[in-house]
Amino acid sequence: MTAVFDPGAQAARATDAILADTLSGTSRGIVVDSPPGAGKSTLVVRAALELAAAGHPLMVVAQTNAQVDDLVVRLAEKDPGLPVGRLHSNDSDPYDKVLDGLANVRKSAKASDLAGLDVVISTAAKWAHVKNVEPWGHAIVDEAYQMRSDALLAVAGLFERALFVGDPGQLDPFSIVGADQWAGLSYDPSASAVSTLLAHNPQLPQHRLPVSWRLPASAAPLVSDAFYPYTPFRSGTDHGDRRLSFGVASDGSAPDRVLDEAAESGWGLLELPARHTPRTDPEAVRAVALVVRRLLDRGGAATSERSPDPVPVTADRVAVGTAHRDQAAAVRAALAELGVTGVAVDTANRLQGREFDVTVVLHPLSGRPDATAFHLETGRLCVLASRHRHACIVVCRAGVAELLDEHPSTEPVQLGVMVKFPDGWEANHAVLAHLGEHRVRWEA
Amino acid sequence: MSLISTLARLEAVESGRAQPMTTVLHRHLTDRPLVLVPLTTAGEAGAPLGALVGTDRDSPRLLAVSQPRDRDLRFAFLAELAEAVLPHIEAYEDVVEPTERNETDPETGKKVKVEVELCADAPQLIVPSRAGIDFVRLLGRSMRFRRTAEDDPDTPYPAPARVPLLGRWLTHYGERARVPGSSLLLATTDLLNRHWATGQSSLEDQHLGALLAWIAAPAGESGARAALRAELERDGEGQLLCPPAGPATDPAFDNRLLAPAIEKYDRARTSLAAAEDGLAADARLAELTAAERDIRALLAGIMRPTWDAVWRGLDLLKELPEGSRAEDRWTRDRWSFTGHRDRVRSGEPPQPRRDDAVTAAQKLASRETAQAQLEAQEALDDPLVLAGRRLAGEAFVGDVTGVVMAYSESKRPSPRPLVTVRTDERPHLGERTKVYRSLDGRPQTAEFVEYAAEPEDGDAPLLVLRITDRMGRSKEPAPGSVPEPGDRIAWTLFEHDQRGGPKLPDPEETPWTHGGPPGATAGQAERPDPVTAEDLL
Amino acid sequence: MDKAALATALGSPAPFGQSQFAFVRGNAFEAKVKADGGTELMRLLHERLGGGAEAPREVLVPDLTAAGPEGRAARTALALREATEAGGWALLDHPMLALEVAGSPTYLEPDAVAVHPDGTWTVVEIKSFPMIDGSADAAKVGAAARQSAVYVLALERIAELTEGVEVGHRVLLVCPKDFSNLPTASVVDVRKQRAVTRRQLARLTRIEDIAAALPEGTTFDPECSPQQLDAAVESVGATYAPECLAACELAFHCRAKARAAGAVEALGRSVRGELGGLTTVGAVLAAAAGKEGDPADPTVVALRRAAALRAEALEGSAACR
């Protein structure tokens, strides 16, 4: 073994082991933990293609229609000749129209219409209604940590064995009613599918994709320490492999200075004066929009392992993340006012699984007078802090550290529930402490 | 908390009176509820201290335990509770109406209509607080696995005959109370808090006395002052004038009054046991009886204010007219009651300690459906609840300004009229977002098409909706099925009815991911709790 | 400082206290668990956390008596080291641990600490709330976990100076089983609580700093006049929230102050979430009524819409099809 860390080789070893278990292993299930940007989708597509090629027809379970359509498109890109079935709901517009252009993709609301195809893909919700069919030999369950245990219960009878892939650090599934009475039970219906699966089958092989190809060297250690303390990962690229530069020099304003800081270090904190504000804090919203506008105006360009020449950071490579929908709406309006279009602006829930060059985040606790469990949820901050390939800029009112101190963590503890993840309070402090080193103060 | 309820709380602070949160009653209240005010012993899990129970507000039945750590006295209490509660439940079991239910024929797999009985009404149980509901559940758990002498002649400490049955019913009620919108078992504080906003926090609202002080403050006194008195005012002996609604007692009561009384009772019992002749025994028995009477009086004294408060709360609630869809939810409660009656009658074992995987998933799914249903029904029944949804962008009210007839592009074109609506509200509408209105009590669907051309200055925006169903089968829409200009209509972005979830596997077919089939132990009664030799808690 | 006495002197006596029934029961249960040289306790420990180790037959129960908390803490540290070196099972009944909090030493007394033959130290918490069918009140378990996490941190200070020791991050919670007085146990993973507590300790304002910031002559002596005390209490910054009522003897005093000032927090922390910069009942209502407030402020806009919708619904003019 050489002393030099070779991320490519390490990731390849992990992938090979996963595929070997999937194709020729004897376990009924295989679990793969994938930190942000570790190549989860690539793995799912590859596993599906190899299973199909080996003569094992399979079903794929994803959680949302967008995820299903995305997988169908990726499969068709890799192997246009592969017969793929897209099982969809009876609603109007049940799938993305892009699928109509794919020659070997058959779409139907009835599973029987798709019988015999190499790969059949649908959402967990739709699969749950499929009855009286011959079970598939193989299945892939994607985003398994975002799937609820009861959803797995409804579909598990459809397959003999399955590969479960997901990111344990993202937002947990939730229920709209209390489920405390089942907490601690191995099959708690409100828990994630993976926790139930492993509680009943602890001997299943568990793999981990060890390398994040998305997160830069500046971000992987922080995200790994703060959100994956017990299952660390590292970045596939090194310091200096990625560079963000601007065609136009800074004008000395706070947005320009925080952009320069983020280009240099990967992180930037634009700190507004402490104040309690409504959720749609007009000043913070405007600051977010200004940062985006300046990023585009200054001709941001990204250099990375993907191409030796700088690639312009265009609007579609930028995202704004918020905690609430009304905040996203306010940011969209502010961007429209500044004439910016094409930037993805969404909540953490909807940004899950997506990737950009630069992200601008309105801190979930900015301006808040209180820190609720919703705002402290680790998964929310983790999603927001792990969508970028180059830099993440956080816009926040001063005083969040003090706010956290006023709301010490007093989470209830259910007996028998596995601790999977760090405390939201602690993770927030950890991220904030790191951001504090890249602070630029807003001057009105 | 929604801004509308926050505003109601702030108005309550300013006015010194609780403010309405609803315009109608959103839970069904029966004419003859059974009220139960239980007390428990501090530090003990299953040691009831006393209770007031009954359907007559003027004469509650008093149940008391003179020494809560004594198993025999505890059993006597539970037997008496069974005697007070079970006849009330059983009175509803045989008043039935015939009805039909859809069932799947096990042989053909087809849906068939089956004639079944449905209890015409169900017994309702009211406790003071949410902790009271937990206590009902705890009592149910502590009783349903007990064995009577009839169950098992060898059981070392047989429970009185009807105690396990009461345990099963209380367990059923406690479980049903977790279903959103159900009314079989309700807590008075929850009922009041659903319908009024006070000028204090939701935490303080859990205090029944303080809550009532805000809702029905004495003339000339502010709710805040009256509530403070309810929370803190004590008599010369340091006892709260408004004792906690239970089941926990005030430590000052335990330490200064109850503990000495129990001590006196213990002493009297010991000395009675030691009595050597009849004369001495008579005198000592009198002492014991007196000690018992003292404890009963003490307990009655701290439970009666709560008992009266519960009835007072029910009076206040009954002044509100019942929301039209509350009856629908009560019918589900009647089904639930009838179902449990049938399970008991068919000799099924008591509910297991913990649900199996399939049952747990089924319960969660049905409660999520019930929650969505409840939210929709409350909004449809009550303009004040709807106001909260409108503020959140989940509903809007608008005036119809125009209707243009249009048809679907199919071989047999169906009517798809375009309706223009003027509203100054800001619903979260996207392309083809579905919206619903109530037409003769049933939902009609439309989809959002676009915002119409810019309105005149100062006017509210116009939006265009396409009606997609409930217009009949012919080419011309059925009369009254299409909105007309001038109509003022409430549209919701949420569905009015809830579809049930997918069918889950039978418990015998639990998949390997969830532990596999239950095996041989399935369906057997669970073992009773082991009884401790000394069993002095 | 005796906050209960202070509250009484301020005119808002706290409704706290413990029922003697609960007290007696708690003590009796702990005694039962530890009876007989901790046989039952060690059996539970071995069953839940024994790893592969042999069942404890001989258990060392060192004498921990010493003069004063400092002496007892030193005695405990010594006993822990000796027991670890001995390489067998040991049970430390009510040991004394020291931890620096805000610059001053604080002494902590866990119910018990067990030493495993492999050098693991495990915190044992004995509580009198029941575990019914394997589950217990989550708020109480949470409190026990936070309490245990402090002990774990304190033990780690001693472990740093001892070789071959690992302080277990899984603690043993012992409670009565179901409705009986038989003990049962559950393992609680306190890694989260430990991480949180460690950061809290690092961030805690030093007590000297609080004292130095107070005006000269500030006194909390309950013998002083309520006015003097009021001023003294006021000089220590504190934010009232309804959650305080269950935890602090001075909460009713603080609540009265908050209410008198019209503070919206008195209605709960969540109330404030949507009110932005508006902090008093009067300001919010005036803004909602259109009498005050910046019409460009989103809070004010939302409040006015809320007020209008509420009024419309209450007037019944929302009648529509």
Side-chain angles (χ1 to χ4, degrees), chain B residues 276-522:
Chain B
E276 283 168 358
D277 57 71
L279 203 60
D282 277 353
R284 288 171 188 184
L285 184 62
E287 267 171 42
L288 183 68
T289 312
E292 241 171 38
R293 207 171 43 228
D294 286 352
I295 292 176
R296 289 174 68 85
L298 279 178
L299 294 177
I302 60 161
M303 289 191 289
R304 188 65 194 233
T306 305
W307 171 269
D308 292 334
V310 170
W311 288 101
R312 180 100 193 281
L314 292 177
D315 288 345
L316 290 165
L317 288 156
K318 282 185 176 167
E319 285 171 22
L320 293 168
E322 186 173 298
S324 59
R325 289 166 179 86
E327 184 68 36
D328 170 53
R329 296 192 294 276
W330 179 247
T331 303
R332 285 164 216 257
D333 282 323
R334 285 162 54 209
W335 278 111
S336 164
F337 175 74
T338 311
H340 192 249
R341 177 200 74 157
D342 294 344
R343 281 190 291 277
V344 170
R345 287 184 172 177
S346 69
E348 278 188 31
Q351 302 92 328
R353 286 182 168 79
R354 313 225 51 180
D355 293 323
D356 61 63
V358 174
T359 308
Q362 267 161 353
K363 281 185 180 173
L364 180 60
S366 69
R367 286 177 203 168
E368 288 194 308
T369 308
Q371 177 68 39
Q373 180 93 58
L374 176 66
E375 285 174 12
Q377 291 191 335
E378 287 191 348
L380 294 169
D381 276 353
D382 188 342
L384 192 46
V385 177
L386 185 68
R389 307 297 292 266
R390 288 161 71 188
L391 183 67
E394 296 163 345
F396 61 97
V397 172
D399 297 309
V400 176
T401 60
V403 179
V404 178
M405 210 45 217
Y407 290 90
S408 63
E409 293 170 19
S410 60
K411 269 179 261 165
R412 274 191 53 215
S414 319
R416 291 287 181 266
L418 294 169
V419 178
T420 311
V421 176
R422 184 185 300 283
T423 179
D424 56 2
E425 296 175 37
R426 278 162 250 176
H428 295 301
L429 292 172
E431 199 190 338
R432 302 191 69 177
T433 300
K434 283 190 180 146
V435 297
Y436 310 88
R437 69 153 173 162
S438 186
L439 179 63
D440 306 325
R442 287 180 47 217
Q444 181 177 43
T445 314
E447 56 186 30
F448 174 63
V449 181
E450 60 182 356
Y451 284 101
E454 283 295 307
E456 301 278 309
D457 254 7
D459 269 355
L462 290 171
L463 44 90
V464 181
L465 304 173
R466 181 187 295 118
I467 308 283
T468 59
D469 63 7
R470 300 276 321 276
M471 289 169 289
R473 291 177 173 272
S474 53
K475 189 158 185 253
E476 288 314 306
S481 66
V482 177
E484 286 169 20
D487 285 354
R488 187 168 166 79
I489 295 176
W491 301 89
T492 71
L493 278 69
F494 50 85
E495 292 186 48
H496 296 189
D497 292 320
Q498 296 301 311
R499 281 177 281 184
K503 195 184 165 311
L504 294 170
D506 289 330
E508 302 79 61
E509 279 161 28
T510 305
W512 60 278
T513 52
H514 288 63
T521 54

Side-chain angles (χ1 to χ4, degrees), chain A residues 93 131 148 181-182 187, chain B residues 175 354-355 367-368 432:
Chain A
D93 277 335
K131 301 285 171 222
R148 250 170 39 178
Q181 77 183 107
W182 303 294
Y187 45 74
Chain B
E175 229 14 44
R354 313 225 51 180
D355 293 323
R367 286 177 203 168
E368 288 194 308
R432 302 191 69 177

Side-chain angles (χ1 to χ4, degrees), chain C:
Chain C
M1 153 187 13
D2 182 351
K3 285 201 286 184
L6 186 58
T8 307
L10 280 164
S12 300
F16 286 108
Q18 194 187 11
S19 165
Q20 66 183 69
F21 300 128
F23 185 73
V24 168
R25 153 94 156 156
N27 286 346
F29 180 68
E30 186 177 337
K32 188 180 165 75
V33 170
K34 289 180 175 171
D36 198 14
T39 313
E40 178 60 12
L41 178 56
M42 295 307 281
R43 189 190 66 75
L44 287 166
L45 178 76
H46 179 258
E47 184 183 290
R48 306 288 150 118
L49 282 169
E54 211 175 297
R57 255 170 293 163
E58 302 260 308
V59 177
L60 181 72
V61 184
D63 177 17
L64 299 175
T65 42
E70 262 172 272
R72 287 181 58 199
R75 183 74 197 85
T76 296
L78 186 66
L80 278 167
R81 283 182 200 124
E82 285 172 355
T84 307
E85 270 167 37
W89 291 97
L91 178 67
L92 278 73
D93 185 2
H94 284 287
M96 183 67 80
L97 306 173
L99 187 68
E100 195 162 292
V101 178
S104 329
T106 305
Y107 293 97
L108 312 161
E109 194 179 342
D111 290 331
V113 171
V115 177
H116 300 236
D118 67 355
T120 306
W121 296 352
T122 298
V123 171
V124 177
E125 265 302 294
I126 301 169
K127 296 288 180 195
S128 57
F129 56 81
M131 279 184 201
I132 296 177
D133 300 333
S135 69
D137 184 328
K140 288 176 180 163
V141 178
R146 286 189 292 280
Q147 193 182 346
S148 303
V150 183
Y151 303 149
V152 167
L153 284 172
L155 279 174
E156 283 175 353
R157 306 286 150 98
I158 305 173
E160 276 168 21
L161 307 170
T162 319
E163 223 162 274
V165 170
E166 180 144 2
V167 181
H169 289 171
R170 301 198 300 157
V171 306
L172 190 74
L173 178 64
V174 182
C175 296
K177 179 174 164 47
D178 300 334
F179 305 97
S180 74
N181 57 349
L182 298 174
T184 184
S186 188
V187 171
V188 181
D189 184 334
V190 299
R191 281 179 295 177
K192 273 188 180 190
Q193 291 78 11
R194 178 186 160 276
V196 169
T197 310
R198 199 172 54 168
R199 190 176 289 275
Q200 277 174 324
L201 287 176
R203 292 187 60 83
L204 209 60
T205 319
R206 292 164 65 89
I207 289 178
E208 294 98 289
D209 296 346
I210 300 176
L214 296 178
E216 213 162 307
T218 302
T219 171
F220 296 99
D221 185 347
E223 302 291 313
C224 288
S225 76
Q227 288 74 24
Q228 277 174 310
L229 288 176
D230 201 40
V233 170
E234 199 75 338
S235 62
V236 183
T239 336
Y240 166 78
E243 289 78 13
C244 300
L245 290 170
C248 177
E249 291 84 344
L250 290 172
F252 279 90
H253 173 75
C254 297
R255 184 179 76 175
K257 288 262 158 198
R259 282 184 176 174
V264 290
E265 290 95 325
L267 296 172
R269 281 178 169 146
S270 64
V271 169
R272 227 174 97 180
E274 286 192 79
L275 296 178
L278 303 173
T279 55
T280 66
V281 175
V284 175
L285 289 175
K291 292 179 199 149
E292 282 176 22
D294 174 4
D297 177 352
T299 310
V300 175
V301 174
L303 272 172
R304 288 182 188 169
R305 288 190 56 219
L309 284 169
R310 184 169 155 77
E312 180 192 316
L314 282 170
E315 283 161 15
S317 66
C320 48
R321 288 181 57 189

Side-chain angles (χ1 to χ4, degrees), chain A residues 157-377:
Chain A
L158 294 172
F159 52 80
E160 301 285 344
R161 46 171 50 211
L163 169 67
F164 296 84
V165 186
D167 180 350
Q170 308 236 324
L171 288 158
D172 288 331
F174 64 97
S175 65
I176 58 168
V177 296
D180 282 356
Q181 77 183 107
W182 303 294
L185 287 180
S186 51
Y187 45 74
D188 175 354
S190 69
S192 96
V194 179
S195 58
T196 291
L197 176 76
L198 288 176
H200 286 288
N201 304 275
Q203 78 293 347
L204 294 184
Q206 295 178 51
H207 295 271
R208 183 146 47 93
L209 294 177
V211 176
S212 174
W213 300 105
R214 174 193 308 148
L215 291 176
S218 57
L222 172 65
V223 174
S224 177
D225 288 353
F227 302 107
Y228 301 81
Y230 312 122
T231 51
F233 63 90
R234 52 162 301 163
S235 165
T237 51
D238 211 340
H239 293 280
D241 287 354
R242 294 199 185 149
R243 238 162 44 78
L244 187 62
S245 57
F246 299 106
V248 177
S250 163
D251 64 6
S253 67
D256 276 21
R257 283 187 291 127
V258 82
L259 280 167
D260 288 341
E261 174 66 33
E264 181 64 33
S265 70
W267 295 100
L269 170 65
L270 182 57
E271 191 177 75
L272 278 69
R275 183 175 305 157
H276 289 147
T277 66
R279 273 205 319 228
T280 52
D281 179 357
E283 286 172 26
V285 164
R286 187 165 166 76
V288 168
L290 270 177
V291 170
V292 174
R293 172 79 213 227
R294 286 301 294 167
L295 168 66
L296 299 172
D297 280 0
R298 288 178 63 191
T303 315
S304 78
E305 71 286 359
R306 284 185 184 168
S307 102
D309 299 320
V311 177
V313 177
T314 45
D316 62 319
R317 298 300 307 151
V318 180
V320 175
T322 64
H324 294 281
R325 277 166 60 178
D326 55 357
Q327 293 172 328
V331 171
R332 275 185 219 116
L335 283 172
E337 226 167 82
L338 292 178
V340 177
T341 53
V343 171
V345 183
D346 239 315
T347 58
N349 300 54
R350 288 157 186 254
L351 290 175
Q352 288 196 94
R354 301 184 63 187
E355 175 174 299
F356 303 89
D357 282 338
V358 181
T359 56
V360 183
V361 173
L362 179 56
H363 195 289
L365 293 170
S366 176
R368 287 199 67 83
D370 65 339
T372 69
F374 173 89
H375 299 97
L376 288 177
E377 192 179 346

